[in-house]
Each structure stands twice: as C-alpha cells, then as structure tokens.
Amino acid sequence: MEMLLSTKGITICLFFFVLSLAAAIEIPLSVSQLPTITEQSHTQVAYPFDEDFTIKCEARGNPQPTFNWTKDGKPFDLSSDPRIVTSNNSGTFVIQNRGIINNFQGKYRCFASNLLGTAMSEEIELIVPSVPKFPKEKIEPLDVEHGDSVILHCNPPKGIPPLHIYWMNIDLQHIPQDERVSMSLKGDLYFANVEESDSRSDYCCFAAFPRLRTIVQKMPMTLKVSRLKHANDSGSPNAAVTKANFIKERKPKLLIPPESAGSSSSVTVIKGGVLLLECIAEGLPTPHLSWVKVTGNMPKDEPETENFGKTLKIDQVTAADEGTYQCTASNPMGRARHEFHVHVEEPPQWLKKPQGGVYSVGTNLVLLCEAIGNPEPSIQWKLNGMPIDGRTFRGRISTREISLTNLQLQDSAVFQCEATNKHGTILASANINVLNIAPLILTPDGENYATVVGYSAFLHCDIFASPAADVRWTKDDSIEPLSTFRYELNKNGTLEIRDTKKEDSGSYACWAANSVGKRAITANLDIRDATKLVVTPKNPRVLKSHSILLKCQAEYDSHLKHSFKLSWRKDGDELPVNSTEGGRIILDRDTLFISSVLLEDQGVYTCVASTALDAAEAEAQLIVLDVPDPPEDLQLSENQNRSVRLSWKAGASHNSPVNESIIEFEENHWEPGKWQELSRVPGNASTALLSLAPYVNYQFRVVSVNAVGRSQPSKPSLRYATPPAAPDKNPENIRVEASEPNEMVMKWEPLKPVERNGPGLEYKVSWRQRGVEADWNEELVKKHSLSVRNVPTFVPYEIKVQAVNNLGSGPEPNITIGYSGEDVPDAAPSGVSVEVVNSTLVRVFWFGIPRDRVRGHLRGYKVSWWKTKSMLDGKRHHPEKHFLTFVGDRNSGMIPGLDPFSEFRLTVLAFNSRGDGPESSPVVFETPEGVPEQPRFLRILNFDKDSVTLSWGLPKKANGHLTGYILQYQIINETREVGALSDVSVTNRSALSWHLAGLSPSTKYKFYIRACTAKGCGKAATEEGLTLAQGAYAGIYEGISTQGWFIGLMCAIALLTLLLLTICFVRRNKGGKYSVKEKEDLHPDPEAQSIKDEIFGEYSDSDEKPLKGSLQSLNGDIKATGSADSLVDYGEGEHGMFNEDGSFIGAYSGSKEKGSVESTGSSTATFPLHA
C-alpha cells in the first residue's frame, strides 16, 4: 500500500521498503568481513632528539587481521631488530632511538590479512636525517680588483627543510645587501662589482635548520679589493678610482642562470606550489633586473619580486601560470636576457575511486578507477595487496574497470587501485564483502522513547542484512503496517512520526525479513506536553537610568522537571548566570533585573527554556528611552541684516521622536557666556529662519526636546554679527518714585542689551506739569532714572522717555502721568461719633479730610481707642491703646472685642504713603452691661438619699451688676439618655450655695449654675453626682446612728472624702485623667447649646453630637447683636482678626465668649455608699 505525501512529492512505501546496505550501514564486527585499514602513519621524520618513533597501522576485520610489513618493496621482519617494539592485534610498531638509526630510513607498507583477504596501506616514508655540518676546509683569500664581480660560495650541508641561510660577520652583524650585493636561492653571495669597502676577512655563512634545531657556520672567508694595477699612482686616489671604473665598465652578464645554460631554460613546478625564478647579473654600473611574461598574460595578482628584483615569486601556482617568463638585466652599457619556459605539472588525483560494499550471492560487481595528473598517471589493480593476474582472474579487467558477475561467497576480497606518476602515488581500496545472512537488528529491543506534542519522534531500527531486508512498523496489537502521511520510514529503518499527538503514545514493533530469515524488536513511545514560555512585560519601554524587571513564566511537563533549564540571551548572546557589571544586571532563574538602565541595554531579551526533549523561546524587545543626542553640524545661510537661516542635523532621538527644537543665542559684548532662548521650532524640523536684532555678535546652539526631556546643547555655530541701527522701541514701565515732598524721581525699565540696536545708547526724558506748562522740559541721561527737585508737592506731570543711540532715535514715546513727591496729611478727620451696637461692639463715624489736605494718595484711616475705667467698680485703667486700619476712602468702621460696662476714648486719623496725619479730638463712649462669664466652679458639698448641697464661685467677669443665679439639674445615665431639665432661681445675688431637695435615691444627676445680670445669664458651670440608696441608708440610721463608734467612723469617712476631693481637684486643674470635656460631650449644657446656635462662636467642635430629647433655653432672648452689619465695617487691628483690606475674618459676639461648653474649676465627687 502506498501513500502520496503532497508536501514532499514522493511516494513512500512503509512496509515493503528495501534497504540499500551496500553504502549505508557499517558491517557489524560480529559478521565475517574483510580487513579494513582504519589508521596509518604518513611521511615521518626521525629527529635525533626524539626518544622513539612510532609507525602506525591499525585495521578491523572478522576474523581479527594479522599484520605484515614491507620496506622499500621487500618483506620487513619486525622481530629482526631488538629496537623495534610491537603490540598484540596491532600493526603499529615503535623504533627506539639508541643512537644510529640510519638503517631504518625507507618506504614502508602495511598489510592486514585474514581468511577473507588482505588490506594494504599507503606507503609510509621514514626519513632519518643526518646532523648537518660544514666540512673543515681552508679557504684561500680572494684578491680582486675594484669593479670585478665576485661569488662567495656557501655550499650548505644537506638537512631537513626548511633551510635558512644568513651571511654575517664574526660579530654576528648581517652583511648589507642591495642591488649590487645579494644572496642567491642556493645561499651564495654575489657581488655584481666590488668596491674597496667590501674588503674584510670575516665573511661567514650560517645555515639554520629549524626542524632540527640546528645552526651551523662555515669557516670565515677573506675578500681583498685593491685598486686597478695599471692606474696612475701619482694622481689622487679619487682620480685613480675614476680611471679604474672607466676601464672596468661593462654591460651586464648573467651569473644565474649561467651563460652556459644558453638563452633559455625549462622550469617545472607542481600545481599549487611556489614558483621561484632567479636572475643574478654582474656588471658595472650595477645592473637593474626586470621581469616580463612573454607568452600569455601575467597573473591577475601582480607577482611579487624578492631579493631586490632578482627573484620572481608566484604562490599557489595554477595552469594559467604556465608560459615563458623573461628576465632582463640592464645598465647604461647594455643588457642581458634569459627566458624561462615554465611547465606546470601535478601529482595524481582521483576522478573515480572504487567503492566497496556488501553484496549478496548472485549479484554483479563493477569497480571503476580513474585518475588525472601531469604527466598522466599509470593505473595498477591489485587483489588482496598483490597484482592481479589476468590469466587466472575470473572477471574482466581493464585499466579503468573491473567487473564480476554472479558473485559467490568466495569472491569476497580487497581490491586496490594505485595511480602513479613522477610526482607521487595514490591508493584507493574497495572491500567487496559477499554475504548471505538473516537480518541483524542492531538497535536494542525494548527501547523507550519520548517526545513532546508537535515535535517529530524517531524510533530507531538499525538493520544489517544480506540480501537486503524488507522493513515494516506496527503499533500496539495491530498487525497492519503504519500507513498515514505522518509516518515516514527512513533508509536506515528509523520510523519518523511527524507532528506528534498525545494519542501517538504506545508500543511499536519493527519487523525485518529477507530470504534467509526475519527479526523483530519493540519500542515504547511517550508523548509529553510541550514547554511554553511567556515573557512579561512583552515590549517594555523604560527611561534611561530607571530599572526594569523581566519575568519569564514557564509551563512544562512534570516528567521533565529534573531536566528543565532556563537561561537568558541578549541579541542572541547568552547572559551569564551571576550578576554582571557590578550587580547592575541580576539574573535570578526566571527573572532578569536591570537597574540604572543604559542605552546599550536596549535589545531583544530572550528567555530560553530547555528540557531533555524540547526547547522553547520567548522574547521581549526592551526599548530604552532617553533625551535626544545633541544636534550636530550647525550651518548658517541666507544672511540678512535682521535675519539668518540656521540649519542642523538632529542627533539620535533614542526611541522618542523630537517634538521641538529650542534655539539659543549668546552674544559676546554685553553678557558673554550667557545663553538665552531665541526661538522654538515645533516638530522634527532641522532648519529655522531666525529674526535678529541689530548690533549683536550672535552665536547659536540648538537643544532638541522629546517626551523624555531636553538634550545637551549642540556645539556652538560660527559667530554672526548684525549691523547697528536706530532703536526699535522705547523703555517701558515708566513710573515716578520720590522720598521727599518736593522731589520727583522718574524711573523706567532700561532696554535689554539686544534691544540697544547700536552704540551710544541714551534716554531722552521729557516732562511738564499737567495743565500748567505747555513746553516740555528735556534731558538726556545714560542711566534709567532722573531726579527733579523743587517741584510742587503731589501734582500731576506728563512724562515720556525715548531711546536714542548714535544711529538715531526710537519711535515717538507714549505719555505717562506721574505725581511729584507726597507729604503726610495736614488735617484730621472731623465729625467723629460712636454708635454702640452691643456691649462689645461699636460703629464709628467720621468725615474724611479734603483731597488737597491729603497731600498724596489716600491709603485709608486708622481708628485708635483705649479703656479709661470700668463702670462696675469705677476703677481707672492704665490707657492701653488699640487701633484698627480701614483701607481706602471711607467714613465709618466697626470696632469689636470691647469690654462690656466700660468707658472708652477714641480718635481717628488719615494716612497716605508718606505717613500718618494728625489725630482727631478724643471721643468718649460707654459700653452697656453684658452677660456674666461662667462661675469659677460648682461643687457638691453634701449628698443624701433625696437631697444635695451645692456651692459655687463668683464669675470671672460680671460684665455688669449681678441680679442672681439660675440653678438647673437633670437625671443622666451612661447611655446618653437625659431626664427633663428643672430650674431653680436664686435671687439672692450674694448667695454662693444652695440645698436642693426632692431628689430620687440612687440616681445620677447633672447640675448647672449660671450667673445673671439685667442683660441675661452667662455660661454654666457643671457638676455630676449620685444620691444614696434608700434601704441602706435607713437601716444604718436606725440601728447604729446613736453609737459612738459610728459617729467616729463617719468623721473618718468625711475626712477621707475631703482628701479625695482635694486630690481630684488638683489633678483636674493639672490636666489629669478626669476629663470634664468628655462628660460635657456626653451630657451637654442645654443652655449653652441653645446660645451656640444663636451667636457667632469663634471656636467650634465638629465632634459634638446632639443628645436625645430637646433642651429648653434658659434665656431665649440672648442673641448676638449687629449680625446684619456689613463685614466691611471692620478694620485692621493688632488682634489679627481682620484682613489687610479691612474684611472681617473672625466671628464676634456680645460677650466675646467662646462657643464651646466647658466647666471651669468643677469636679466630680463620688460619694461612698453603705450596704
């Protein structure tokens, strides 16, 4: 059954699937197989300082292979030399370095054999270098004439390359080299022509062999350069040398290649190697070398020359470098040339290598072997390491191909193909294993697999079989092969289940069968929940220097918790677990905290979760907001007398667009270094036309603004100076100030520096008396004030001030009216009278003074008063003066807070800015009687079962003649319920106690006492108490009242009670824990409550609550008078009750009493009860 997968467009057979084993699965070692070389050495150097040398050859096969070696094509017995150490089941051997090992140098080959065949290694060359040495020789000095050419030969000893040659003197100083003196590639030192300065006796050649860690030195050579023998010695030395040079001058002659090589030579180079062509010439003057390619073009990359142009070098030679190259040596005397015919060759390389594999009985075999090289390589086939004899080989053999038909088990063998040319040999082996076995399932049975939902699952079933096996998979108890599009069988037998679901969990079976037999294994699959991540906040925007906390919320399968790991990455790079940057960035498993956020913290932060089965990522884009970078590149254009265009490049906005640009200026004449705002440009515009003032040397800068804030200012622009002009405006805020009556000081706001418009700024001040003078008085001043003396007191003047500079005057100024200096008023108000409103409040009337007597701006009137005596006792008082100020032009005012029943005197005066005028004559008035203040205390002297004796003190202030007292009482309890209020009138005004009878036993009462005058009654003093129980009192009285001991006990109790009352009284006056205020809150004074509703109270208690029942007012006609008066009638005074404009801010009442109900000096006595 087949199913077409549209996503891949291929047809997959899920249960009749043929495995191509020839090139797929490696043969298990449990199966008989040919040897295979798995490891071998290559070319190796036996350095004299190494302790031993290892030649490797390892192979696998079944049966276990045995090893044999050849050296230089001949059998080599590893046991023939005691210095060779071998290992069991290995072809590797070690040569111990015990001195002379030259006899081990050669080319080795390893052969691994078993019953099925023989595998052969590539050739392994072992190089045993000798220690390089220069021969001891006596080198005769060279004696040459000036201008001759010389060659100093080095002839370095042989050794392992690379070889480095140096020419130095005996002090190890390098011999200088140039176009005239240079060293050849072989190491000889060439002189194109010698000079006398070349004479020395210590030319030393040093040969360095880095791989051998050896440097050797040739014996020093001596070179003597003398003048030309035929030169005229009688002349100067310079003349002799010149003559010698003239005689020795000659055209160039090539020393390398030598003339004997002819005009051309052939050079062969290996492809990929380095081409070095060398030309060295002698001659006088010194020849110059140049190179050219005669056939074809020079390489794209111009070849480099070395050794002062004498060597042409081409690296990585290709076929394109083949051709003819010409070197030319030239001087003024002529030139010499040589051509190099360069041939590029290459060692063998494979085009097709023979491929081994597993074959079943009866199949056919074809092996191909093709190689290229220059020269073309020769191909040789070998079988099990031996050349194939075409006469006995049952198959067909040709240079490039071997074929066999109807393979049998005995055809198993190792075929080798060798390709050889003069540059090297390459070897390829092909193991041909002919097998006939039942399927081997290499995957263990009962494997457990797991994956997560949505991922692919891979159930392995690695099979080896010959012939190839058919493979199919089944699930759970079903015998039907899996056949939906989500299942795919790979070539190696693995079942892939795509896009897994929970229902894919279960048990699976892999079945493999061929003509020899069949096998099966089972596998179990578990499907886990996929890991999910969410990072919050998703895409945060944070201000620079603020903090941000990223949290990674993860969901994963509980079975995977032990393998669950969480990490963080920024822009793809993993963040370290420990805190970074001194604790500024802290990672704590699922949280990432960044304090003092920097601009470079911006980026994509990824939370990465991984388990043993899956991985998940969630990311958040962190955007860092900051003020913009400063604008750059300020440019000025469109220059005009009064304007210029400023342009700039905006800086980075840091994720918050620029919404405004502020242009500032600085001028270096009046306020250098002070920057002032000139203009604002909305949006992200980067140019502005600026309006400028004349006579200013401007410098501009720009500040960008975004939602975060302002950028740093840009660098300043170039300076721009505007030409001067006449003033555009005149001074403002012209005013007159004077400290003397006959003086007028005119002042104004001076022009700002940028408003001067030119040099020589002055102010032309003009003034004249209004309605009197026709002509203007004028004066030029440089200051911003002008003082004029001997003017009339407080008369109006017309004033104008005009700005003037060297280029002209400003516009015509406006006229301002000002007054000359003031003097204090010289008249007092008249017709002062007083109207008594109530006992504490009066209204004052007066006639204002004439305007011409004010002599200034009238500020208002002051009323002063003082108390002279009390009408109650006739006692005179020390005059304590009070005053109130009434602002403005008015003729009446209210005077509150007076003492009742007293005599006062009162005066009125006018005042202006200069001061107070004279007072009016005193007016005498009297205040009527008022209600008394509350009695000083109320006390309970004695309590009985149905009566009580009360005592009280006089009021603090009687405010009139006392007419008596009102005593009130009512039943109270702890639940705020009160009984009816009872009144007792005490008409004896001198009485200070009262015996109250008719009370109920065992009942709590509250008592009130008020003092009264003809005007009414004042506030009450209060007290509370409890009457005695009736039964207890009768029993005691009848049984023991006549006993002496009882009388003594009663006296003791009376003394103790008196002591307790005294302590309570002292503590109450000191603010102790007995709070009268709390009791009054619970049982308020009904009379006081009534009065509070009818008069202004300066204080109020918002926490007071009404009691149950209605309380009858003691004197309902006690009300504050004058309440209809306008508040403007009250002036300003020392009591702080009035505002500056004379408005009334505090309440007033006839008795100047506070509105709260309080008891003064009262106490609560708890009377002892007897059982």
Side-chain angles (χ1 to χ4, degrees), residues 448-461:
N448 294 314
Y449 298 90
T451 189
V452 297
V453 174
Y455 279 60
S456 293
F458 296 89
L459 309 184
H460 300 297
C461 188

Side-chain angles (χ1 to χ4, degrees), residues 1152-1165:
K1152 194 185 172 185
E1153 296 181 27
K1154 309 225 185 271
S1156 61
V1157 179
E1158 294 184 358
S1159 175
T1160 303
S1162 61
S1163 62
T1164 301

Side-chain angles (χ1 to χ4, degrees), residues 84-122:
I84 298 177
V85 179
T86 60
S87 301
N88 292 331
N89 298 324
S90 173
T92 299
F93 64 92
V94 179
I95 302 173
Q96 295 179 335
N97 187 358
R98 296 180 183 174
I100 300 174
I101 54 173
N102 291 340
N103 58 318
F104 288 108
Q105 179 163 312
K107 294 182 178 180
Y108 295 81
R109 196 186 289 270
C110 172
F111 296 87
S113 306
N114 65 10
L115 296 176
L116 301 178
T118 301
M120 179 176 67
S121 72
E122 297 178 2

Side-chain angles (χ1 to χ4, degrees), residues 1103-1160:
D1103 293 332
E1104 293 182 358
K1105 298 178 175 59
L1107 300 172
K1108 286 189 177 182
S1110 61
L1111 301 181
Q1112 183 178 359
S1113 173
L1114 178 64
N1115 191 348
D1117 60 353
I1118 299 178
K1119 297 181 180 177
T1121 61
S1123 60
D1125 293 331
S1126 171
L1127 295 181
V1128 299
D1129 291 335
Y1130 296 87
E1132 299 173 345
E1134 58 190 10
H1135 306 297
M1137 299 169 60
F1138 303 92
N1139 286 333
E1140 190 174 330
D1141 59 357
S1143 60
F1144 182 57
I1145 60 171
Y1148 71 93
S1149 66
S1151 61
K1152 194 185 172 185
E1153 296 181 27
K1154 309 225 185 271
S1156 61
V1157 179
E1158 294 184 358
S1159 175
T1160 303

Side-chain angles (χ1 to χ4, degrees), residues 179 252 254 256 278-282 286-291 305 307-311 327-330 336:
E179 272 195 325
L254 289 176
I256 298 178
E278 184 179 37
C279 280
I280 297 180
E282 62 94 6
T286 302
H288 174 72
L289 271 295
S290 61
W291 294 86
T305 58
N307 197 20
F308 310 101
K310 299 173 183 180
T311 305
C327 76
T328 301
S330 59

Side-chain angles (χ1 to χ4, degrees), residues 636 640-641 692-699 718-724:
L636 299 176
Q640 301 293 329
N641 289 347
L692 307 179
Y695 194 54
V696 178
N697 191 13
Y698 283 99
Q699 184 175 232
L718 297 176
R719 288 204 173 269
Y720 180 67
T722 54

